[in-house]
Amino acid sequence: MSCENPTTDPDALMNRRPKFDKAKTCIKCKIAEGNIVIRHAVYCKDCFFPLLKTKFKRSLEPFVNRLPNGPRKKALNPSGNLLIGFSGGLGSTVLLDLVHKSYFSHRKPRESGGEVEAVPEQQETGAGDRYRDPRQERVWKKAAVCYVEVAGAFPGMKDRTEDIQRIVESYDDFEFVPLKIEDAFNGEWWESVDQCPSSSLLNFDISNEELPFFQSDSTRLTPLERLHTYLSRLPSPTAIPSTIRTLTRLLLLYTAHSTSSSHLLLGTSLTSLSISLIASVAMGGGFGVSEEVQEEWIPPRSGIEGRKEVGVRVVRPLRDVVNKECATWAWWNGLTVVGQETVPGFKQTIGGLTKDFIIGLERDYPSTVSAIARTCGKLTPKDEAGGQCVMCQRPAQRGMEIWKQRISVRSLADLEEAPSGIPIGTQENQPSLSPYLCYACHATMTSKSSRANPSSTNGPKLPTSTSDSKTVSNLVPLPVWVTARLFGPADKVQAEDPSREGSGDALRDGEVWRNVELGREEMRTAVKDFLLDQDE
Amino acid sequence: MPPKLCALCNTSRPILKRPKTGQQICKSCFFLVFETEVHNTITESQLFQSGDRVAIGASGGKDSTVLAHIMKTLNDRYNYGLDLFLLSIDEGITGYRDDSLETVKQNQKEYNLPLKILSYSELYGWTMDDIVAQVGRKNNCTFCGVFRRQALDRGAAMLGVDHIVTGHNADDVAETVLMNIMRGDIARLGRCTAICTQGEDTIKRSKPFKYTYEKEIVMYAYFKKLTYFSTECIYSPDAYRGHARTFLKDLEAARPSAIIDIIHSGEAFEIRDEVKRGQKLQQTCKRCGYMSSNDLCKACTLLEGLERGMANAGITDKGVKQLNAAGPTPDNLRTIPFFQMNTVGNSGPSPSPNPWPLDSGPSG
C-alpha cells in the first residue's frame, strides 16, 4: 500500500497502470487491431462479443437448474418461467438483448405447453432428452419483462412506460408486465398476483422508534396517496431511494411468483453491484450482504388453501461485466437505452454518495469494483437468521433493539438498570412493527437525517402528502405485503423480553386482530403524544 | 413558545445535539451518557477483571487524551480495580511528537498514572526522521505503522501489563470496515470490528471507544476542557485511508447513523469457512519472537532492508527477492530484541525483571 501525501506527490495514491498493456493487438485473436480496452486488456470488436456472452452465461447458467452450481455441461432445465426486471437503464437493456440472443431468438419453443411443472433432477438428462437437441430449444417456456414505473412518486418525473413497452415489444418473445410503484399499496394488484386480499389496512406511527401499528380506516386514500404519505414521512433523504428500491424489488418478486417464474434476472453490472454492496453496508444491511449478490426468495404463505409456494431465484448475470462493457455492447449493437431519470436530490443520499464515490474510483482504479464484489462474495452472515423481515423479506438478524439500546443511551431510565433487553420505547399491549424488521429496514424508517426533513432542499423532491394537507400525521400506511404478513403468521426476528411473551405469541399466532381492535378514542389515546395535530 | 428542554433530563437547557442519536441534550446529561455508554461497552464485553494491569496507548491526541480521562474516571467510579499505565510511542519525528508527548506527560501528572515512553530509536535503532532520510517519503507509512504496532506490544510487555486499550473510535472502526472491503483485505475485515483482539502470543488489545463517535469525543474534550494536540503527521497522511475517511464523513453528513450502521454491518458478517481455511496460519518470527505470518515478521524484514540499504525489501515482493538474492543476512545485523510476553500475575512478582524504567515525566 502506498501512503504518500497526495498533495505533494500526484502518484502517491496508487501507481497508475498503462492503459494499453503492451501492444495494440487484440489479446484474444492476436491478429486484429484492438478496438476496446477492458481493465488493461485490449480486445477487437469480433472478440468482444463472445467475451461478454461468455461472462454473461458463466454467471447465469450454473444457477438455472434447481440445484445450483451443477456441472457446466448439464442440460439447462429450469423449474419455471423467466421474469426479467427491466428498468430501461443500460444494464437491463443489455441484459434483455443478451437473454434474447442467447436463449430465445432462433430457438424453437419448448415442447409441452400448459402448466410449468418442476422437472426432477434425475430426469434432466433422462431418456426424454435423447432425441431433442436442447441447444435448439428455448431454455424457459415463457419469458416476461416487468417494468416498475416510479414516476408517480416524484412530481415532474416523466412516465416512460410507453417507451419501455416499445423496447420490449421489439423482441417478439417477451410478454410485457407494466407496474407502478404505488402498486405496493394497491390491494387490487396484491390480488392480481394471487395473494389473499386483506380486508383492512394498517398504519404505523413513524415518529416512535418502536413503530407501533394500528388498524387504519384510510381506505379512502388511493394507492398513490398512500405512497406519497409513506415517502413524505420517511426520516431522511437516504430512506426515499432505499425504500423505492425495496418496493421495486418486492413488486418484481411477487410478479415473478405469480407468473410461475423460477428465475428473476436483473441487469446489475459489476459497477452497480459494487455500489449496492457498499451502500448496503453503509445502511446497516451487512447481515444480508450476500443476498445482494445472489438470493433465493421464498414467499411467505399466501393464505390461499392448497397453494404450493415455489421460490424465486434472483440472478444478476452481468455481475462480472463493468459499465464500460455494457455501454460498448449497447453501442455496437445499436440498442436504444431509454435511461433512468435520477431521483431529485439523490446525490446527497447514501446511495448517491456511494455511486459517485465508486464510479470515481472505477475511472482511475478499475480493479476496485471487482475487489469490492469479490470481497463481499466471501462473506456470510455471522448468526442464523431469526426470521424474515416483513418489509424487505430478506433474512433478519435477532437482537437489533438490544444492541441499539446497549450502544446508545436514549433515556435516563435506561441508566437505572443495565440493559435488560426490553426494546426501546415499548408500549404495553400495543403491537409494533419493530420486532418484525431487519436492522436496515428499521434504520430506514427511524434513522433521522442531520437536516430537518427529507422534503428539505437537499433531499429528493416529493409531493406533499395528499391525505390531508393541514394535518401532518405521523401515521403511515404499510405496503400490502407487510399488512398481509402482520395479519398472518409473521415471525418476530428481534429478541423479546420474556415478560412480554404473551403478547408476542398472540402476534405470532396470527391473532393480531385481538390486539388491534381499538376504538377511535383508544387509538387516539395511544398515539396522541405522537400526533402533531389532533385532526386525524 | 416555551424554551426547548434537554431530551434526557427534561429540566435543563440543551446545549448540543448528539451526533449519535440526534437528541438535543444538556451538558451534564451528555457527560453522563457519554461515560455510561463507554462503561456499558466495557462491562458488556467483559474487557477487564479486577486487578488487571492496563496500559492506555497515549499519543497526546484527542482520542487517547479523552480515553485516559475516561479510564481514570470509570475506574474510580465503578471500582474496576485496574492498575492503569500510560504508554507512549515516540516515533522520532521532529516537531510532530514533541508537543503531544508533553500532553501525555501532563496527563501523567494530572491523573497520577505511571508513564512509559518507548522510542523507535531505542527499539529499532532508527527514528522516523532517519527512515525517511533513507527511503524518502514514499512508503514510509508502512515502516511507521508496522513499527508502532510492535512497539506498543513491546512497551506493554516491558510494563508487565495484561491489556492495552487504544483510543480507536467508532469512526475509525467504520472506516476500517469500508477500507478493508474496498481493498479486499479479508483477514483484517474479519477482525476489525472485534472490540478485543488477542492472539496466543500478543497482549490483549481493545477499543473501549468502539461505539463512540469521534465528534462526541471532541465535544467531551471541549466541555471538559481537556487539552490535546491534533497535529497531522508531517511525513504522510495515510492516503488510502484518506479516501475512505472522506467518503465516511460524507455518509455521516447524509445520515449520522451511518457510522454505527457500518459497524453493525461489520459485526453481522464473517468470512466464509472455506475462505478462512485458505488463510495463512499465524506463527512467530524466527528472529524476534513476535507474531508473524511468515518466517520473519514484517518489522524484522523492514529493519533488515533498512540496515542493508534495501528499503524496499519489506514492501514489495520484488524487494524481498532482491534481498534474498543479495546473499544471507550478515551476522552483525542490528535486530529487534526478542519479544517475550511479560505477564504479571495479580499477586505474584514479575516473572522477569523489567529492564525498562518508567519515565518520570517532567516532574522527575
Side-chain angles (χ1 to χ4, degrees):
Chain A
M1 189 180 76
S2 167
C3 305
E4 281 60 48
N5 187 348
T7 53
T8 55
D9 181 0
D11 293 327
L13 297 181
M14 209 179 280
N15 290 332
R16 194 183 292 266
R17 289 195 191 180
K19 285 283 181 191
F20 292 87
D21 259 2
K22 290 183 180 81
K24 288 189 177 182
T25 315
C26 169
I27 61 157
K28 193 107 175 158
C29 66
K30 298 182 174 60
I31 300 167
E33 190 173 326
N35 297 102
I36 183 173
V37 184
I38 301 163
R39 294 176 58 188
H40 315 299
V42 181
Y43 295 93
C44 68
K45 193 171 175 180
D46 289 342
C47 290
F48 170 77
F49 291 115
L51 171 85
L52 197 76
K53 232 172 172 177
T54 306
K55 281 186 181 179
F56 159 76
K57 287 186 168 182
R58 203 175 49 203
S59 300
L60 173 60
E61 294 189 351
F63 302 96
V64 169
N65 290 349
R66 187 182 289 174
L67 292 179
N69 282 318
R72 294 281 304 278
K73 297 280 182 197
K74 208 169 183 178
L76 298 177
N77 244 328
S79 59
N81 292 322
L82 174 69
L83 184 75
I84 301 165
F86 189 64
S87 68
L90 177 63
S92 56
T93 305
V94 171
L95 173 71
L96 199 62
D97 193 54
L98 277 165
V99 171
H100 189 258
K101 285 193 169 115
S102 307
Y103 303 113
F104 286 89
S105 67
H106 314 302
R107 286 196 182 205
K108 290 183 293 184
R110 281 187 76 132
E111 288 171 7
S112 80
E115 282 290 294
V116 176
E117 286 168 14
V119 181
E121 284 295 309
Q122 63 268 29
Q123 285 182 18
E124 285 177 4
T125 52
D129 293 339
R130 200 178 300 155
Y131 302 107
R132 57 191 175 95
D133 182 357
R135 282 169 302 181
Q136 300 301 319
E137 270 193 349
R138 291 178 180 176
V139 172
W140 288 272
K141 284 177 188 160
K142 287 186 200 164
V145 176
C146 184
Y147 169 68
V148 182
E149 177 57 67
V150 300
F154 306 100
M157 195 178 269
K158 188 185 166 226
D159 187 325
R160 294 168 309 144
T161 310
E162 282 180 15
D163 299 338
I164 299 286
Q165 187 167 4
R166 265 196 297 278
I167 303 275
V168 176
E169 283 174 356
S170 68
Y171 299 97
D172 295 332
D173 309 292
F174 300 142
E175 185 195 340
F176 183 50
V177 186
L179 295 180
K180 289 183 182 302
I181 190 77
E182 56 266 31
D183 285 336
F185 296 87
N186 188 348
E188 284 174 20
W189 170 78
W190 186 240
E191 284 182 55
S192 78
V193 290
D194 305 336
Q195 298 295 320
C196 205
S198 294
S199 55
S200 191
L201 296 167
L202 290 180
N203 276 347
F204 72 102
D205 180 358
I206 202 164
S207 67
N208 180 342
E209 282 213 355
E210 185 73 354
L211 307 172
F213 60 84
F214 311 90
Q215 194 186 342
S216 160
D217 61 350
S218 59
T219 44
R220 64 196 160 83
L221 298 181
T222 65
L224 188 60
E225 286 169 340
R226 281 189 212 124
L227 171 75
H228 288 168
T229 309
Y230 189 98
L231 295 179
S232 64
R233 301 289 185 275
L234 288 171
S236 69
T238 291
I240 293 165
S242 135
T243 299
I244 295 282
R245 197 179 149 89
T246 303
L247 298 182
T248 306
R249 187 178 138 267
L250 267 291
L251 288 168
L252 289 173
L253 286 172
Y254 275 103
T255 304
H257 184 245
S258 73
T259 52
S260 300
S261 300
S262 54
H263 294 82
L264 167 63
L265 305 190
L266 301 176
T268 316
S269 66
L270 179 63
T271 314
S272 25
L273 179 64
S274 301
I275 294 167
S276 55
L277 288 167
I278 294 286
S280 169
V281 166
M283 290 191 268
F287 191 72
V289 84
S290 50
E291 304 271 313
E292 288 285 332
V293 184
Q294 180 87 29
E295 96 183 271
E296 303 268 345
W297 174 77
I298 297 173
R301 275 179 282 163
S302 62
I304 294 176
E305 284 289 315
R307 186 188 172 99
K308 191 184 158 202
E309 300 300 356
V310 185
V312 177
R313 181 174 291 159
V314 186
V315 187
R316 294 165 173 86
L318 299 181
R319 64 176 186 211
D320 284 335
V321 178
V322 294
N323 269 0
K324 182 177 178 181
E325 290 167 277
C326 289
T328 310
W329 179 276
W331 177 248
W332 280 342
N333 283 295
L335 303 181
T336 308
V337 182
V338 177
Q340 284 174 288
E341 221 171 310
T342 315
V343 174
F346 178 66
K347 272 191 171 297
Q348 291 310 311
T349 66
I350 288 183
L353 290 164
T354 308
K355 188 176 175 184
D356 284 351
F357 178 69
I358 301 288
I359 287 179
L361 272 184
E362 190 191 17
R363 203 165 32 232
D364 295 335
Y365 314 113
S367 54
T368 302
V369 288
S370 65
I372 292 169
R374 262 203 328 272
T375 310
C376 292
K378 292 174 185 167
L379 302 175
T380 185
K382 203 176 264 177
D383 304 311
E384 272 189 32
Q388 196 187 42
C389 169
V390 290
M391 184 72 189
C392 68
Q393 299 198 352
R394 279 183 168 163
Q397 193 181 13
R398 288 177 195 279
M400 172 256 293
E401 289 180 317
I402 298 168
W403 187 87
K404 277 195 166 180
Q405 190 184 14
R406 197 182 74 213
I407 58 146
S408 57
V409 177
R410 284 151 197 265
S411 105
L412 291 186
D414 294 344
L415 298 178
E416 285 162 15
E417 48 185 291
S420 61
I422 302 171
I424 311 153
T426 299
Q427 293 186 352
E428 284 292 326
N429 300 321
Q430 185 55 56
S432 67
L433 192 56
S434 188
Y436 300 94
L437 294 174
C438 65
Y439 182 92
C441 286
H442 189 261
T444 299
M445 292 185 194
T446 58
S447 182
K448 292 185 180 63
S449 160
S450 50
R451 298 168 190 112
N453 65 59
S455 310
S456 68
T457 48
N458 292 316
K461 302 288 180 296
L462 294 168
T464 319
S465 166
T466 45
S467 59
D468 189 332
S469 56
K470 286 181 184 170
T471 306
V472 184
S473 164
N474 290 316
L475 290 179
V476 175
L478 284 163
V480 279
W481 56 84
V482 181
T483 306
R485 292 273 337 256
L486 293 174
F487 278 122
D491 296 325
K492 274 193 178 185
V493 288
Q494 306 309 332
E496 292 172 42
D497 172 27
S499 64
R500 298 171 72 226
E501 206 174 343
S503 63
D505 281 348
L507 291 166
R508 210 195 319 270
D509 296 341
E511 295 169 356
V512 170
W513 275 117
R514 285 217 293 269
N515 282 333
V516 294
E517 281 180 350
L518 298 172
R520 298 264 320 139
E521 275 312 305
E522 285 168 281
M523 282 168 64
R524 187 193 297 273
T525 311
V527 295
K528 69 178 185 330
D529 293 344
F530 308 101
L531 296 174
L532 298 176
D533 193 303
Q534 296 296 310
D535 209 35
E536 165 67 35
Chain B
M1 194 176 156
K4 206 164 186 175
L5 295 174
C6 167
L8 292 174
C9 66
N10 234 358
T11 50
S12 308
R13 191 173 62 85
I15 59 152
L16 59 94
K17 184 176 172 184
R18 275 198 85 184
K20 193 170 175 180
T21 62
Q23 289 175 317
Q24 296 189 0
I25 59 175
C26 67
K27 199 200 286 190
S28 57
C29 282
F30 172 66
F31 290 152
L32 184 61
V33 291
F34 184 94
E35 288 158 5
T36 306
E37 283 170 10
V38 179
H39 170 64
N40 284 349
T41 305
I42 288 171
T43 51
E44 286 284 324
S45 313
Q46 298 178 326
L47 287 187
F48 310 119
Q49 290 187 335
S50 180
D52 275 358
R53 291 161 62 89
V54 178
I56 301 163
S59 66
K62 60 180 184 320
D63 300 312
S64 61
T65 302
V66 175
L67 182 66
H69 178 89
I70 284 279
M71 287 300 295
K72 173 79 179 159
T73 306
L74 298 180
N75 193 29
D76 293 346
R77 183 184 301 164
Y78 296 105
N79 294 319
Y80 290 166
L82 305 178
D83 279 341
L84 295 175
F85 299 82
L86 291 170
L87 172 60
S88 277
I89 305 301
D90 183 359
E91 296 90 347
I93 305 174
T94 312
Y96 166 61
R97 257 302 169 242
D98 306 347
D99 290 340
S100 46
L101 284 177
E102 284 309 309
T103 309
V104 178
K105 286 171 185 168
Q106 201 178 317
N107 291 340
Q108 178 209 8
K109 273 196 294 180
E110 200 174 326
Y111 307 134
N112 195 26
L113 298 177
L115 166 69
K116 167 76 199 159
I117 299 174
L118 182 60
S119 68
Y120 280 8
S121 64
E122 191 178 355
L123 190 56
Y124 307 110
W126 290 77
T127 64
M128 274 310 290
D129 288 341
D130 300 335
I131 292 172
V132 173
Q134 184 175 121
V135 307
R137 294 200 168 201
K138 199 161 186 169
N139 295 325
N140 70 74
C141 271
T142 306
F143 287 86
C144 196
V146 171
F147 283 0
R148 188 185 301 111
R149 183 173 174 87
Q150 274 219 23
L152 266 179
D153 273 342
R154 288 169 181 277
M158 291 164 192
L159 286 171
V161 302
D162 312 288
H163 202 138
I164 307 170
V165 288
T166 57
H168 290 95
N169 57 44
D171 300 44
D172 297 328
V173 178
E175 183 186 298
T176 310
V177 171
L178 289 178
M179 205 170 76
N180 287 333
I181 293 177
M182 290 190 295
R183 64 182 182 189
D185 196 333
I186 283 292
R188 284 197 177 85
L189 182 62
R191 59 176 186 255
C192 68
T193 52
I195 187 162
C196 182
T197 48
Q198 184 179 31
E200 283 172 17
D201 306 310
T202 51
I203 290 163
K204 210 170 163 184
R205 199 182 270 228
S206 57
K207 310 180 264 250
F209 283 164
K210 180 187 165 186
Y211 298 118
T212 307
Y213 274 41
E214 185 180 86
K215 280 196 176 72
E216 297 197 359
I217 291 172
V218 177
M219 281 180 187
Y220 189 87
Y222 174 75
F223 288 120
K224 284 278 180 189
K225 298 188 170 62
L226 304 177
T227 50
Y228 64 84
F229 279 85
S230 61
T231 327
E232 289 291 328
C233 175
I234 54 167
Y235 287 137
S236 46
D238 188 332
Y240 200 101
R241 190 170 275 275
H243 281 310
R245 171 139 296 214
T246 311
F247 176 50
L248 183 74
K249 294 294 165 200
D250 290 343
L251 295 181
E252 189 193 4
R255 195 165 83 173
S257 73
I259 288 173
I260 220 74
D261 294 342
I262 292 170
I263 297 178
H264 187 270
S265 286
E267 287 181 2
F269 53 60
E270 62 181 355
I271 312 305
R272 286 211 311 262
D273 282 344
E274 61 267 32
V275 182
K276 267 185 213 164
R277 280 195 290 273
Q279 290 180 329
K280 276 188 180 176
L281 288 175
Q282 202 68 251
Q283 50 181 310
T284 48
C285 173
K286 288 186 174 154
R287 190 173 295 166
C288 77
Y290 192 73
M291 65 167 174
S292 171
S293 319
N294 300 303
D295 285 352
L296 276 193
C297 74
K298 190 84 171 165
C300 281
T301 316
L302 289 172
L303 186 62
E304 184 174 338
L306 282 174
E307 292 288 330
R308 295 173 68 181
M310 301 165 78
N312 267 340
I315 296 165
T316 58
D317 289 343
K318 200 174 157 191
V320 175
K321 280 180 196 156
Q322 281 173 350
L323 189 76
N324 292 336
T329 308
D331 291 337
N332 57 350
L333 191 83
R334 178 157 42 186
T335 56
I336 309 168
F338 203 81
F339 179 73
Q340 241 179 338
M341 286 272 279
N342 206 8
T343 48
V344 178
N346 288 345
S347 50
S350 171
S352 58
N354 184 353
W356 309 83
L358 290 171
D359 291 79
S360 52
S363 56

